[in-house]
Coordinates of all heavy atoms in Angstrom, one line a residue:
G63 N -11.5 11.7 7.1 CA -11.1 12.5 5.9 C -11.2 11.6 4.7 O -11.5 10.5 4.7
A64 N -10.7 12.2 3.5 CA -10.7 11.5 2.3 C -9.7 12.0 1.4 O -9.3 13.2 1.4 CB -12.1 11.6 1.6
T65 N -9.1 11.2 0.5 CA -8.1 11.6 -0.5 C -8.1 10.6 -1.6 O -8.7 9.5 -1.5 CB -6.7 11.8 0.2 OG1 -5.9 12.4 -0.8 CG2 -6.2 10.4 0.6
T66 N -7.4 10.9 -2.7 CA -7.3 9.9 -3.8 C -5.8 9.8 -4.1 O -5.0 10.8 -4.1 CB -8.0 10.3 -5.1 OG1 -7.2 11.2 -5.8 CG2 -9.3 11.0 -4.8
V67 N -5.4 8.5 -4.4 CA -4.0 8.3 -4.7 C -3.9 7.2 -5.7 O -4.9 6.4 -5.9 CB -3.3 7.9 -3.4 CG1 -3.8 6.5 -2.9 CG2 -1.8 7.8 -3.5
S68 N -2.8 7.1 -6.4 CA -2.6 6.1 -7.5 C -2.9 4.7 -7.0 O -2.2 4.2 -6.1 CB -1.2 6.1 -8.1 OG -1.0 4.9 -8.9
A69 N -3.9 4.0 -7.6 CA -4.3 2.6 -7.1 C -3.1 1.6 -7.3 O -2.8 0.8 -6.5 CB -5.5 2.2 -7.8
T70 N -2.5 1.7 -8.5 CA -1.5 0.7 -8.9 C -0.2 0.9 -8.0 O 0.3 -0.1 -7.4 CB -1.0 0.9 -10.3 OG1 -2.2 1.0 -11.1 CG2 -0.2 -0.3 -10.8
T71 N 0.2 2.1 -7.7 CA 1.4 2.4 -6.9 C 1.1 1.9 -5.5 O 1.9 1.3 -4.8 CB 1.8 3.9 -6.9 OG1 1.8 4.3 -8.3 CG2 3.1 4.1 -6.3
L72 N -0.1 2.3 -4.9 CA -0.4 1.9 -3.6 C -0.5 0.4 -3.4 O 0.1 -0.2 -2.5 CB -1.8 2.5 -3.2 CG -2.3 2.2 -1.7 CD1 -1.3 2.7 -0.7 CD2 -3.6 2.8 -1.5
N73 N -1.0 -0.3 -4.4 CA -1.1 -1.7 -4.4 C 0.3 -2.4 -4.4 O 0.6 -3.3 -3.6 CB -1.9 -2.2 -5.6 CG -2.1 -3.7 -5.6 OD1 -2.6 -4.3 -4.7 ND2 -1.6 -4.4 -6.7
E74 N 1.2 -1.8 -5.2 CA 2.6 -2.3 -5.3 C 3.3 -2.2 -4.0 O 4.0 -3.1 -3.5 CB 3.4 -1.6 -6.4 CG 3.1 -2.1 -7.8 CD 3.4 -3.5 -8.0 OE1 4.6 -3.9 -7.9 OE2 2.5 -4.4 -8.2
I75 N 3.1 -1.0 -3.3 CA 3.8 -0.7 -2.0 C 3.3 -1.7 -1.0 O 4.1 -2.4 -0.3 CB 3.5 0.7 -1.6 CG1 4.3 1.7 -2.5 CG2 3.9 0.9 -0.1 CD1 4.0 3.2 -2.3
V76 N 2.0 -1.8 -0.9 CA 1.4 -2.7 0.2 C 1.7 -4.1 -0.1 O 2.0 -4.9 0.9 CB -0.2 -2.5 0.2 CG1 -0.8 -3.4 1.3 CG2 -0.5 -1.1 0.5
R77 N 1.8 -4.5 -1.3 CA 2.1 -5.9 -1.7 C 3.5 -6.3 -1.2 O 3.8 -7.4 -0.8 CB 2.0 -6.1 -3.2 CG 2.0 -7.6 -3.7 CD 1.7 -7.6 -5.1 NE 2.7 -6.9 -6.0 CZ 3.9 -7.4 -6.3 NH1 4.3 -8.6 -5.9 NH2 4.7 -6.7 -7.1
K78 N 4.4 -5.3 -1.3 CA 5.9 -5.5 -0.9 C 6.2 -5.4 0.6 O 7.3 -5.6 1.0 CB 6.7 -4.6 -1.8 CG 6.7 -5.0 -3.2 CD 7.4 -4.0 -4.1 CE 7.3 -4.4 -5.6 NZ 7.8 -3.3 -6.5
L79 N 5.2 -4.9 1.3 CA 5.4 -4.8 2.8 C 5.4 -6.1 3.4 O 4.7 -7.1 2.9 CB 4.3 -3.9 3.4 CG 4.3 -2.4 3.0 CD1 3.1 -1.7 3.6 CD2 5.6 -1.7 3.5
P80 N 6.1 -6.3 4.6 CA 6.1 -7.6 5.2 C 4.7 -8.0 5.8 O 3.9 -7.2 6.2 CB 7.1 -7.4 6.4 CG 7.2 -6.0 6.6 CD 6.9 -5.3 5.3
D81 N 4.5 -9.3 5.8 CA 3.2 -9.9 6.4 C 3.0 -9.4 7.8 O 4.0 -9.4 8.6 CB 3.3 -11.4 6.4 CG 2.7 -12.0 5.1 OD1 2.1 -11.2 4.3 OD2 2.9 -13.2 4.8
G82 N 1.8 -9.1 8.1 CA 1.5 -8.8 9.5 C 1.8 -7.4 9.9 O 1.6 -6.9 11.0
A83 N 2.4 -6.6 9.0 CA 2.7 -5.2 9.3 C 1.5 -4.4 9.5 O 0.4 -4.6 9.0 CB 3.5 -4.6 8.1
Q84 N 1.6 -3.4 10.5 CA 0.6 -2.4 10.7 C 0.9 -1.2 9.8 O 2.0 -0.6 9.9 CB 0.5 -2.1 12.2 CG -0.8 -1.4 12.6 CD -2.0 -2.3 12.6 OE1 -1.9 -3.5 12.5 NE2 -3.2 -1.7 12.6
V85 N 0.0 -0.8 9.0 CA 0.3 0.3 8.0 C -0.5 1.5 8.4 O -1.7 1.5 8.7 CB -0.2 -0.1 6.6 CG1 0.3 0.9 5.6 CG2 0.4 -1.5 6.2
T86 N 0.2 2.7 8.4 CA -0.4 4.0 8.7 C -0.5 4.8 7.5 O 0.5 5.0 6.8 CB 0.3 4.7 9.8 OG1 0.4 3.9 11.0 CG2 -0.4 6.0 10.2

């Protein structure tokens, strides 16, 4: 599938997640 989401917000969230985390 496909979708669009705020690039800046997504970047900030992923940056703050712990190292090695598996993201869904």
Side-chain angles (χ1 to χ4, degrees):
T65 189
T66 86
V67 68
S68 164
T70 312
T71 312
L72 181 59
N73 184 57
E74 282 298 296
I75 289 171
V76 178
R77 193 172 60 79
K78 291 170 184 174
L79 291 175
D81 269 349
Q84 196 68 18
V85 187
T86 304

